[in-house]
Amino acid sequence: MTDTLPWTIRPGELLLTVRLTPKSSTDAIDGIAHLADDSAVVKARVRAPPENGKANTALVRLVADTLQVAKSAVTVKSGATGRTKVIAVTGDAQAMADRLARMFG
C-alpha cells in the first residue's frame, strides 16, 4: 500500500474521497482503506438506504459533524449514485486536513 491520503487540499476547500456503505447499523467513519487501484478512500457507513439521495444526505451530515462545519459547506461533487464519492467541503482546508490526520493517526 502507498502512503496516499484520501483528501486533497485546494484553496478554500477540501476534497475527500469516500467509500460509502449504506443501510448500516450506525453512522460512522471507520478509517482509511485502499481500493484495488491502490487509491485511498475514507470508509464511511450510514443507516440511510441508497434511495432518493437519503444515503448521500446522511453522508453530508456525517462529514459535516466530523469536520465540525455547517452542512451547507459539504456537497457531493461526484459519484452521487455510486459507492465511491468525492465530497467537497468549503472552509479552512488545512485545518480540516489536520483534523482528519489526527483522527486516522
Side-chain angles (χ1 to χ4, degrees), residues 60-101:
V60 164
R61 188 178 319 111
L62 177 63
V63 169
D65 290 348
T66 299
L67 294 177
Q68 300 173 348
V69 298
K71 286 185 288 188
S72 61
V74 182
T75 57
V76 178
K77 192 167 181 87
S78 67
T81 60
R83 287 189 64 194
T84 303
K85 304 171 184 303
V86 175
I87 307 296
V89 188
T90 58
D92 185 343
Q94 187 61 56
M96 291 183 280
D98 292 345
R99 183 172 291 123
L100 290 168

Side-chain angles (χ1 to χ4, degrees), residues 1-6 32-35 37-40:
M1 281 190 253
T2 64
D3 290 333
T4 60
L5 295 173
I32 296 174
H34 289 82
L35 302 178
D37 66 358
D38 211 26
S39 61

Side-chain angles (χ1 to χ4, degrees), residues 16-30:
L16 183 64
T17 304
V18 176
R19 175 86 171 160
L20 180 64
T21 302
K23 296 196 316 188
S24 177
S25 61
T26 187
D27 293 348
I29 291 182
D30 295 327

Side-chain angles (χ1 to χ4, degrees), residues 8-15 77 91 93:
T8 303
I9 298 172
R10 289 192 173 172
E13 79 175 352
L14 180 87
L15 297 180
K77 192 167 181 87

